[in-house]
Structure formats: C-alpha cells, structure tokens
Amino acid sequence: MMINYNKINFKKSSTLFISGQYPDGKFYIINKGKVIFESYFADNFKYEHKKGDIIGIVSAVMNEPYFSTSKVIEDTEVIEIDVREIEKIDNVELMNKIYKHLINTMEVWVKKYYYFLYKYSKVDSSEKLNITYICKSYIDKGFLYAAIKIYENNQEKINDKNVVNKISKIEPIESPKEITKGVFSFKKGSCLFEETSQNNYIYFVKSGIVGVYSYFNHKPVTRMKYYDNDIFGYKDLLGKKVIANTAIVLEDSIIKIMDKKEFENMIIEDKATRVYLIKMMSARVYNTIARIKAININNVILKILTVIEGLIKLDLMFKKTNYIALFYTIDDILSMVFIDHTDYVEREIKKIKSIKITDEKNIVISNINNFFKEYQIYFKRNSDKINNEDFGDDI
C-alpha cells in the first residue's frame, strides 16, 4: 500500500527543529544532504545524519518534545511522513529500515547512558569486564540460573573457587515445556539468554514477567521488564550479535519464541504488532534518555520521579488509565541511576506523595495526574535552582 508524504527543502544553516519543541506527528527521512543533532542535556553530545537516515520518529511517536536540536549543515531535502502512515506500510525493507534506525538510536543512547553511569559513579570505564564478577553478581542477586549459563559459556575465564563451588550446588531448574509449536512454558528463575552470549530469537510474552538486566560495577542493573503481550529480543537479532543483557523469567511465564523470518512475517501480516513495535522501541529510547537526564540531576527525589515518569509514559502508550501498578520495584529504579538504598534515600522516597511502595517494594501510582503535577513541581524547583546558580548575584 502506498503511503502519503511530502518533500521539504532546507537551506544550509537552517534548523529543522529545536530541543523542547513539540513535534506535529511527523518524522523525516533524509533524501539528500546532512543534518547534525546537538543534545545539550548530554554534555552537548553531537551526531550526524545523512541520506537515507530517519529523524524525529521517537518524539513523533511518543508525542513528546524533541530532545535534540537539528541543524542543517548542507542543503537538505527530507521526506516528511505522518506517523499514522506507519500502519499502511507493508514493505519489509522499509519496516526493517525503521526498526534498524530505532535500534541504532537505542544503541547510541545506551552507550551514552553507560558513559554517564561511569562518570557519575567514578568507575574506570577502561577496566576490562571480569566474567567472574559478572557471574558472582547474579548469584548475589539470586538469579542463580543466569549465573549457571554465564559460567557454562565462560568456564575457562572463571577460576574463583567460591563461585565455582556455589554454581555446583545449585539444583537444576525444570526445562521449558513446549505447549504448542514455538510456545513454551518457563519456570520462575529460568534464563532465556545471558551477557556475552549470542541471541538468535525474538520473544513474545503471552503471560508472566521477564526482567532484562546488565552488569555494572558488581551489580545487575535493571534495564526493562516485559509482561503480557510484550515483545523483546529484536534489538539483539536485528542489531549487534553479541549481547550485553541477561533475560530472566521473574514468574512462571508462557513465551512464544520466533526466528527472524517468522518475526518479519508476523509484522507484515499483523498491523497491530507493526505499530506496537515502533511504539515500544520509541518508548525504550525515550526511557533511556530519561535515565540519562536522571543521572545528571542532583536531587534524589527528582532522579526517581524522572525514571518513573518515563515508565508511566511507556504504559500510557498502550492503555488509557489514571492508575498504574508498575512491575518495577524501588530497588530497580535506584539501580538504573546508581543510587544506594540508604537511610537518607529512604527518607527522601517517603517525601514523594504521589507514589506508594508495596511490601514487595513494587511502585504503585494511584493517581497519574497527581504524579505528573508533583513531577512538574520538583522539575521546576530544580530548573529554578540551576538558573539561580548560573546567574549568581544577578538573580
């Protein structure tokens, strides 16, 4: 099916859009020319887009302000497409182009996220990853079957007797059972794939919860949690082959496992899945950027609220509600921005009026409108404080 589009020309030194500006439901494909993006919130990080590249799709899909300013560095022609036209696309090559763009964008911002984690935590980023430490961190977290997989794939690199001894004492978990073709039942604690391995599949969660983690400074950091009807693994399959994530089944789950061909057939045949994936991938980029912003905030409460705000907006993309019970715990949130759960942090958390923490440490937002109001109050206070510091005695 043909999609509608417009061609627009921009002269050198003009601006396509600026950071903080709301999109008009449009994204762009560069037909000729070059555009450079500047992200002031990320140490003025700059990156360049050229012919064939897609720009502005994350903000357009999320209906959130642009997080970068785009400057035209040579005369440029772009194809302007309304995000609603995505539903009409039935060309595998074009869909894969959009997915790969979103994956590449994700990888760019994940690298920046870890750059700021290293910077904030003062951890030496040049230090080579120690597989023994990675294995031990998953044991300490209670993710025993992830530790077993990491050990089995790296036995020659793990020589710590205590770690090997702990691994040898872990009772085997029940193997997944195939319910129907390609659909499996997994027991809580099962590990779907682990860091340093190669993932060749895409996973569709029919029921249950799967947590995805990455090792950082002796701890598994929570990346995402997937539950009913979520799809993941596409980043690893369509992007780089060696993965840096570990996927763990957090409760008994039923999961459909697909290879690349089956996945491509599904997104072409199923319009809802096609739209869902672009929304989900855009939301993942948005959440990663939110975490970068949170790391660079000094106020503990605003750090926490900024991460939660991204997770709420992810949920709101797929349902209309004023109540959300997140599958994330407060410890998940703190790990994302490298905060230890100290007595001081506990006191600060109790000051947040719009969230409730259950006995299992999960986060509940009973009134999303009130949450956003509280978030804006802390955001404005933080902005005013920064402005006062910038202008000093002139204020």
Side-chain angles (χ1 to χ4, degrees), residues 142-194:
F143 297 146
L144 304 181
Y145 302 103
I148 288 176
K149 278 202 169 186
I150 292 168
Y151 173 74
E152 288 175 347
N153 288 330
N154 300 276
Q155 288 188 41
E156 73 285 355
K157 298 177 183 177
I158 299 176
N159 50 24
D160 185 305
K161 291 182 179 179
N162 288 329
V163 170
V164 174
N165 187 47
K166 287 179 180 178
I167 292 288
S168 67
K169 292 181 179 179
I170 299 172
E171 294 291 329
I173 195 168
E174 185 179 321
S175 298
K177 294 179 179 178
E178 190 166 18
I179 301 169
T180 59
K181 186 178 179 181
V183 178
F184 296 84
S185 171
F186 287 88
K187 288 295 183 182
K188 177 181 178 180
S190 300
C191 180
L192 301 178
F193 54 79
E194 75 292 339

Side-chain angles (χ1 to χ4, degrees), residues 299-302 304-305 308 330 334 341-359 361 363 374 378:
N299 183 282
V300 169
I301 294 176
L302 186 56
I304 294 168
L305 292 177
I308 294 174
I330 188 63
L334 296 180
H341 202 151
T342 62
D343 290 341
Y344 165 72
V345 170
E346 181 67 26
R347 289 195 299 272
E348 291 298 289
I349 291 169
K350 288 179 179 177
K351 293 178 184 177
I352 305 174
K353 298 176 181 178
S354 58
I355 69 171
K356 177 186 175 183
I357 299 173
T358 68
D359 292 341
K361 295 188 175 183
I363 296 168
E374 186 170 24
Y378 278 98

Side-chain angles (χ1 to χ4, degrees), residues 46 69 90 95 100 121 141 171 228 282 342 347 355 376 383:
K46 297 180 182 180
T69 294
D90 56 6
M95 288 307 303
K100 286 181 179 179
S121 60
K141 185 74 173 178
E171 294 291 329
D228 296 3
S282 297
T342 62
R347 289 195 299 272
I355 69 171
Q376 286 300 325
S383 299

Side-chain angles (χ1 to χ4, degrees), residues 1-3 85-96 98-99 264-265 267-271 274:
M1 184 182 293
M2 294 293 291
I3 63 172
E85 294 294 309
I86 291 171
E87 296 183 11
K88 301 177 183 177
I89 299 173
D90 56 6
N91 181 286
V92 174
E93 186 178 346
L94 181 54
M95 288 307 303
N96 276 341
I98 293 173
Y99 294 142
E264 289 177 343
N265 289 338
I267 60 178
I268 292 303
E269 294 169 3
D270 188 342
K271 181 177 73 174
R274 188 160 66 235

Side-chain angles (χ1 to χ4, degrees), residues 313-341:
K313 286 186 173 176
L314 189 157
D315 267 21
L316 292 179
M317 291 193 72
F318 303 102
K319 60 186 176 186
K320 291 183 178 180
T321 180
N322 198 37
Y323 170 94
I324 289 180
L326 295 175
F327 286 103
Y328 294 84
T329 67
I330 188 63
D331 289 335
D332 289 327
I333 304 301
L334 296 180
S335 78
M336 293 173 188
V337 286
F338 202 71
I339 298 176
D340 290 326
H341 202 151

